[in-house]
Amino acid sequence: MEKKTSWKVILCLHILLFVYSLESVCSKMAAAQEMFSFKFFLFYGLVLFLLFFYALAWQRILKYMPLTIAYANKGITIIWGIIWGAILFHETITLKTIIGGVIILAGIFMVVTNNEH
């Protein structure tokens, strides 16, 4: 029987996934810059740094929780993408987007609570 994942580990996972979501922001910012400009390299460098940090921290998180729970929670990065798109890039949040986000959150909840038994 698997042991229950602590709320502290779940919190660390979500902080890590929040940081990981910033990679997409930096990627979009790099794409908006002139190719090979200083800002392009700055944002692209941030993408690489965030991916490197994420890869190392992800391996540490997996020591403390089942892969199924960790991977199911990665869907939260889509929610962060919606939020970043609206706040930073003035993208429109539609009813379909909200419904999709609710479905993602419900799926995460179901996987996490189902694996705690």
Side-chain angles (χ1 to χ4, degrees):
M1 185 168 135
E2 290 182 28
K3 71 178 190 175
K4 185 176 174 184
T5 304
S6 77
W7 67 269
K8 290 178 184 178
V9 174
I10 297 284
L11 178 62
C12 288
L13 172 66
H14 279 268
I15 291 169
L16 176 62
L17 293 173
F18 170 80
V19 170
Y20 176 66
S21 74
L22 294 173
E23 175 272 331
S24 297
V25 172
C26 292
S27 181
K28 186 163 181 157
M29 296 294 281
Q33 306 306 315
E34 184 176 328
M35 188 71 127
F36 302 120
S37 69
F38 174 76
K39 286 185 177 181
F40 171 81
F41 283 114
L42 175 69
F43 287 118
Y44 192 68
L46 284 171
V47 168
L48 295 175
F49 172 77
L50 289 169
L51 288 174
F52 177 76
F53 174 80
Y54 169 77
L56 294 177
W58 177 254
Q59 296 304 313
R60 297 295 302 165
I61 289 287
L62 291 180
K63 288 180 71 172
Y64 301 101
M65 69 178 5
L67 180 61
T68 55
I69 292 176
Y71 203 82
N73 279 271
K74 281 185 82 169
I76 201 72
T77 58
I78 295 170
I79 306 300
W80 281 116
I82 294 167
I83 294 168
W84 294 136
I87 293 172
L88 300 175
F89 304 110
H90 309 291
E91 296 174 358
T92 304
I93 297 177
T94 65
L95 180 60
K96 288 180 183 179
T97 305
I98 293 169
I99 292 170
V102 169
I103 291 170
I104 290 167
L105 292 174
I108 292 170
F109 179 78
M110 288 171 48
V111 169
V112 171
T113 57
N114 196 26
N115 280 335
E116 288 185 355
H117 291 81

